[in-house]
Amino acid sequence: YLSIAAYYILLAIMRFSLLYYSRSNKAGDDVIAELKRFRFCGALLLLMNTALMGLTFYRTIENRDFLHHGATTTALGLFTLSLFALSIINIIKYRKFNSPILFAAKLISFVSALVSMLSLETAVISRFEYILGERWQRIITGISAFSVLAIIAYIGAFMVRRGNRMIKALQAEN
């Protein structure tokens, strides 16, 4: 529960940080400030990855899943698929706007969709545990969790690296 709490707290900090900035500033006005928020969110994604590693350890190594009712699993599946589809559509849609704040918000939504997809997978696997053996459950969950953690680490590192590069380039121009 501590890992889940840390994940949601860091997710809330990132989203509120972007929301606070976008409420007081127009997108594209101060690109360096936007890039600093972009970089900050990338660093928090890397920190969030640590919390997700704890959750992954709990689920795969300790082999403890959160059991869900069938209706809850179905609702989680519908929510996750719609969240995942919307996050991909929004990343494509908002790339044409040259705003690091909007791009960061969409990347954070994509990361949230990936974590929801991982939760859906573990819920479905634990719901139908009689089909797969315990060994296969651990293998499948471990591989997908490693993949999600690697993607999140890449996105976080990308955000930090791109933010640093663009800030240096803009400061060199000025």
Side-chain angles (χ1 to χ4, degrees):
Y1 291 116
L2 291 175
S3 295
I4 294 172
Y7 164 74
Y8 281 112
I9 288 169
L10 290 170
L11 190 64
I13 289 170
M14 285 186 285
R15 287 187 170 165
F16 285 127
S17 169
L18 296 175
L19 180 67
Y20 177 75
Y21 181 84
S22 66
R23 293 273 180 170
S24 59
N25 299 306
K26 187 177 176 186
D29 282 349
D30 187 4
V31 179
I32 291 179
E34 286 187 30
L35 287 169
K36 287 180 180 179
R37 295 281 171 142
F38 185 78
R39 183 179 59 188
F40 172 72
C41 289
L44 284 183
L45 277 178
L46 293 172
L47 185 62
M48 183 194 328
N49 222 15
T50 306
L52 290 173
M53 281 182 206
L55 185 60
T56 301
F57 176 80
Y58 183 75
R59 285 184 173 164
T60 55
I61 305 300
E62 294 292 322
N63 199 25
R64 296 186 182 182
D65 289 324
F66 301 107
L67 298 176
H68 298 283
H69 188 269
T72 307
T73 304
T74 304
L76 181 63
L78 292 172
F79 171 76
T80 299
L81 291 176
S82 63
L83 184 67
F84 195 72
L86 281 174
S87 70
I88 291 174
I89 289 169
N90 284 334
I91 285 176
I92 294 168
K93 184 178 172 182
Y94 286 99
R95 274 190 92 184
K96 63 184 173 186
F97 298 109
N98 197 17
S99 172
I101 292 292
L102 292 176
F103 191 49
K106 300 315 165 196
L107 286 175
I108 291 168
S109 294
F110 180 70
V111 166
S112 177
L114 283 175
V115 173
S116 292
M117 193 69 79
L118 185 61
S119 296
L120 173 65
E121 179 201 339
T122 56
V124 169
I125 286 176
S126 66
R127 181 82 177 127
F128 300 107
E129 65 185 347
Y130 56 87
I131 295 173
L132 296 171
E134 181 180 324
R135 181 173 171 251
W136 281 107
Q137 285 180 355
R138 284 184 175 185
I139 290 171
I140 291 170
T141 304
I143 290 171
S144 61
F146 176 77
S147 301
V148 167
L149 291 173
I151 291 169
I152 293 171
Y154 174 77
I155 290 171
F158 165 78
M159 291 173 76
V160 170
R161 189 176 62 240
R162 185 172 186 184
N164 284 335
R165 266 195 222 145
M166 292 183 79
I167 288 171
K168 286 179 185 177
L170 287 174
Q171 287 175 344
E173 280 182 15
N174 295 336

